[in-house]
Amino acid sequence: MADTNLSAFIWSVADLLRGDYKQSDYGKVILPFTVLRRLDCVLETTKAAVLEEKALREGQGLDPEPFMLRKAGQLFCNSSALDMQRLMGDADNIGENLRSYVQAFSPAVRDIFESFEFHLQVDRLEKANLLYLITEKFSQIDLHPETVSNAEMGLVFEELIRKFAELSNETAGEHFTPREVIRLMVNLIFIEDDEALTQPGIVRSLYDPASGTGGMLSVAEEHLVSHNSSARLVLSGQELNPESYAICKADMLIKGQDINSICFGNTLSDDQLAEEKYDYMLSNPPFGVEWKKIKKEIEAEHKAMGFAGRFGPGLPRVSDGSLLFLLHLISKMRPAQDGGCRFGIVLNGSPLFTGGAGSGESEIRRYVLENDLLEGIIALPTDMFYNTGINTYIWILSNKKPEERKGKVQLIDASDFWQKMRKSLGSKRKELSAEHIDQITKLFGSFEEAEHDGKPISKIFRNADFGYQTITVERPVRDEEGNVVVGQRGKAKGKPQADSNLRDTENVPLSEEVEDYFAREVLPHVPDAWIDHTKAKTGYEIPFNRHFYVFTPPRQLEEIDTELKNVSSQILEMIRGL
């Protein structure tokens, strides 16, 4: 069954909830029951052997858990004689039996259902006389791994969450990233390591600080294993939304990942994996979300720890925390001497240029560029994400740049690489085809300037090209006769007094001498001006669109005139015809 049909069939359970549940609460029942049925199906084939093992080991006076896990062939098991089919045999005791069945799972699985607050839904369904009907409906859905692969199951969860979010008026995009965008990001972080990643038995680590339901982690793992079946990707992540966290953890559990590395909580204010460093990282943090609620903790770390903490370079304005995620990821990079790290993060346009010289944003860009961490930025088409149609950019950072990339940054304008979707999903109207992903990956991998249809699509810059100095230009106060007023005492004695109303600033590219720029651009217009060197500041910005702007000259007047005459004569002909 295709994922969309399957998710629609699962969602049809909502018909039973109508009246007793608000629409916005449907997901609180449907998501945990889907996870329960999936786990139930995963364990079904080994159920009898596991129960036999339990009886045998208990008879020997041993703790049966490790033996049962081995029989189940999973990182979790269930010690109850019940399963979802057997629950149907006792309608009168469905509540009690379902609770004892869930309690019989391994502790990691019980934690998943606690995150869903499943016990509250069981109580509520029981009171509404719906528990048996709902359990029966789910027991009929075939979610065996042979029928529904892990990849398909991930898409089903995403589709369900999207529907759930739409009904709750939440932004669905907080929860996940379109799969084709993840595939592109995975290609970009792996491409330069192709040779190493095909070695037999290779083990690498990957982390997502805003892991949602685990889409980025899963796609990266599928990609690596499809190219090298003996490779292993150790996955880690943290998630703030309890339902998304529970789904991610369940997915990782079934995949055989160490679920102690899938953590719950706010990554920025309460990093649960504080000491860890990673080979690769991927992230699509929330766009333009303010961080006022965690301001105290973030500012405390910034002040107390400086560069020993995560936020040494600076703090962005409170209205957009996405650059905090960038700094968080930089702090998690495996040091270059231990093999280094490469990561990809999706950001909106504001981190490219918001904030003048000396601001938190500019200082963060300065840190990234002066430490030569930025490999490239790829502009995606608009209307790519479920909850926003805005411009988005993938930043690729690395502390193990190949020789030819050192001191340089590649900008790729992939905003025209898209195809229209057959059916829009929220704000998402466009998608990348496999060919588009391939083209963008090749552009990045070849590290060359390129054009398409006469327009630049790949450009290479030196890091310093994005830097500038903001200089303060002063002009003198003049008296009524127009004479320059000079200071009378102290250090200002005999020097022209600056007129604050005429004060101005100029941004001078780092590649230019300030005095040369001043003599050429300022003095010809205001000969009495001077520079106040004590106020100079260094800033960095990446004016992406300016670098790819192509001037289209206006059409010749004669051409427009001829066209108007032709149209006018056509209109006259039509009028005569009437």
Side-chain angles (χ1 to χ4, degrees):
M1 199 187 290
D3 342 303
T4 42
N5 296 350
L6 180 55
S7 56
F9 179 59
I10 293 171
W11 198 258
S12 69
V13 173
D15 295 337
L16 296 171
L17 300 173
R18 203 164 280 122
D20 292 282
Y21 272 74
K22 289 191 309 216
Q23 277 196 323
S24 57
D25 286 346
Y26 290 172
K28 292 177 182 174
V29 173
I30 288 169
L31 293 172
F33 265 101
T34 307
V35 170
L36 182 62
R37 180 59 178 148
R38 174 67 166 181
L39 298 176
D40 189 65
C41 290
V42 167
L43 295 178
E44 191 179 287
T45 51
T46 58
K47 185 83 178 171
V50 166
L51 292 175
E52 273 176 35
E53 193 70 13
K54 178 178 184 262
L56 173 68
R57 300 305 173 182
E58 282 178 345
Q60 295 169 344
L62 297 168
D63 172 13
E65 179 91 0
F67 299 100
M68 288 159 63
L69 288 171
R70 201 172 302 140
K71 281 286 177 200
Q74 302 287 344
L75 292 174
F76 64 99
C77 63
N78 186 300
S79 60
S80 168
L82 294 164
D83 58 22
M84 285 187 80
Q85 299 286 352
R86 288 191 183 89
L87 285 170
M88 296 298 94
D90 187 357
D92 296 338
N93 296 304
I94 181 71
E96 192 186 326
N97 288 341
L98 180 58
R99 286 184 196 93
S100 82
Y101 176 52
V102 171
Q103 279 303 113
F105 274 106
S106 310
V109 175
R110 293 205 299 274
D111 175 62
I112 290 167
F113 288 103
E114 277 159 29
S115 296
F116 279 125
E117 296 187 319
F118 187 55
H119 58 289
L120 297 180
Q121 302 313 322
V122 172
D123 294 348
R124 193 172 163 187
L125 289 166
E126 202 168 22
K127 279 187 191 128
N129 286 322
L130 286 170
L131 187 58
Y132 186 84
L133 289 170
I134 296 288
T135 312
E136 180 182 42
K137 185 95 171 171
F138 274 96
S139 71
Q140 293 163 357
I141 301 170
D142 182 2
L143 297 182
H144 287 82
E146 303 84 60
T147 314
V148 184
S149 70
N150 283 333
E152 286 168 331
M153 200 67 227
L155 291 171
V156 167
F157 280 128
E158 289 185 0
E159 180 70 11
L160 290 173
I161 282 191
R162 195 180 60 74
K163 287 181 170 165
F164 178 27
E166 277 173 6
L167 290 174
S168 316
N169 286 326
E170 284 181 30
T171 42
E174 280 176 11
H175 301 290
F176 50 85
T177 311
R179 288 292 161 123
E180 81 274 17
V181 175
I182 306 176
R183 285 191 193 102
L184 172 61
M185 291 174 77
V186 168
N187 278 5
L188 297 173
I189 64 166
F190 284 162
I191 184 169
E192 287 164 18
D193 303 337
D194 267 357
E195 208 173 299
L197 293 174
T198 51
Q199 302 294 321
I202 189 160
V203 178
R204 288 288 183 270
S205 59
L206 184 129
Y207 168 72
D208 180 351
S211 55
T213 57
M216 287 201 165
L217 301 174
S218 298
V219 172
E221 184 188 38
E222 286 156 21
H223 176 94
L224 185 57
V225 172
S226 71
H227 287 75
N228 179 357
S229 58
S230 71
R232 181 150 184 269
L233 201 55
V234 179
L235 305 174
S236 303
Q238 188 164 336
E239 174 53 33
L240 180 60
N241 176 288
E243 279 108 357
S244 298
Y245 159 72
I247 288 170
C248 182
K249 193 164 174 175
D251 191 29
M252 295 303 142
L253 194 63
I254 293 163
K255 286 191 168 85
Q257 289 285 341
D258 173 13
I259 38 105
N260 293 320
S261 298
I262 305 296
C263 305
F264 176 68
N266 188 311
T267 306
L268 298 177
S269 60
D270 181 21
D271 180 11
Q272 299 273 309
L273 298 160
E275 302 305 314
E276 300 299 321
K277 306 284 181 199
Y278 300 99
D279 300 311
Y280 299 101
M281 298 182 279
L282 288 171
S283 184
N284 174 18
F287 296 143
V289 172
E290 63 170 38
W291 49 281
K292 198 181 283 177
K293 279 194 274 188
I294 53 169
K295 189 167 185 264
K296 203 168 115 202
E297 296 92 327
I298 302 291
E299 286 183 343
E301 182 175 335
H302 173 63
K303 286 190 183 111
M305 298 184 71
F307 283 88
R310 294 172 293 169
F311 309 119
L315 298 177
R317 60 201 63 194
V318 172
S319 58
D320 188 354
S322 50
L323 279 172
L324 293 176
F325 279 97
L326 181 79
L327 289 176
H328 171 78
L329 288 170
I330 289 170
S331 77
K332 297 268 183 210
M333 296 176 94
R334 188 178 298 292
Q337 64 270 24
D338 298 337
C341 169
R342 183 175 297 103
F343 73 81
I345 180 171
V346 181
L347 298 170
N348 63 12
S350 89
L352 292 166
F353 49 76
T354 300
S359 68
E361 291 89 350
S362 176
E363 287 299 294
I364 293 166
R365 289 190 290 269
R366 179 179 183 173
Y367 179 81
V368 166
L369 287 157
E370 290 187 352
N371 285 283
D372 200 18
L373 293 173
L374 185 61
E375 285 200 332
I377 299 177
I378 296 92
L380 294 174
T382 54
D383 303 323
M384 283 296 290
F385 288 82
Y386 302 103
N387 65 330
T388 178
I390 60 170
N391 291 92
T392 51
Y393 301 83
I394 298 171
W395 293 43
I396 303 292
L397 281 82
S398 173
N399 58 5
K400 53 172 186 179
K401 282 189 176 185
E403 203 55 46
E404 69 275 12
R405 282 190 185 268
K406 284 184 179 161
K408 293 178 181 163
V409 173
Q410 182 180 14
L411 301 185
I412 295 174
D413 180 8
S415 57
D416 289 335
F417 287 53
W418 57 274
Q419 61 187 27
K420 201 167 170 29
M421 289 178 70
R422 285 204 304 272
K423 182 174 171 247
S424 296
L425 290 172
S427 299
K428 183 170 172 59
R429 296 177 185 86
K430 298 173 183 171
E431 63 186 0
L432 299 169
S433 67
E435 290 74 37
H436 292 138
I437 293 172
D438 205 35
Q439 283 173 293
I440 299 165
T441 307
K442 281 180 178 149
L443 276 172
F444 183 74
S446 64
F447 190 59
E448 288 170 355
E449 299 211 329
E451 286 193 356
H452 181 70
D453 291 340
K455 282 169 62 183
I457 51 169
S458 170
K459 296 182 94 170
I460 294 164
F461 299 88
R462 292 170 311 144
N463 293 341
D465 292 341
F466 302 112
Y468 61 89
Q469 266 195 305
T470 297
I471 57 168
T472 301
V473 177
E474 301 283 19
R475 292 180 61 195
V477 176
R478 293 182 181 270
D479 60 24
E480 286 168 7
E481 278 84 51
N483 299 317
V484 173
V485 176
V486 294
Q488 298 302 315
R489 51 172 89 99
K491 285 184 182 172
K493 192 171 181 182
K495 292 179 182 170
Q497 282 191 307
D499 185 340
S500 59
N501 292 323
L502 297 175
R503 184 172 293 145
D504 201 1
T505 57
E506 292 275 335
N507 288 345
V508 183
L510 284 185
S511 54
E512 278 205 56
E513 289 295 332
V514 169
E515 299 296 344
D516 293 348
Y517 176 94
F518 184 69
R520 187 182 73 244
E521 300 292 336
V522 180
L523 287 179
H525 310 288
V526 278
D528 59 357
W530 71 92
I531 301 169
D532 181 349
H533 288 285
T534 63
K535 292 184 181 146
K537 286 179 185 167
T538 301
Y540 279 83
E541 65 171 6
I542 304 168
F544 198 102
N545 293 344
R546 196 195 309 157
H547 288 305
F548 287 93
Y549 174 72
V550 177
F551 175 69
T552 311
R555 290 160 67 200
Q556 296 294 318
L557 278 173
E558 295 83 0
E559 187 187 331
I560 297 168
D561 209 29
T562 309
E563 200 172 296
L564 281 171
K565 280 176 183 159
N566 287 339
V567 172
S568 301
S569 58
Q570 281 171 7
I571 291 168
L572 286 170
E573 285 292 323
M574 288 162 79
I575 290 168
R576 285 194 200 101
L578 292 170

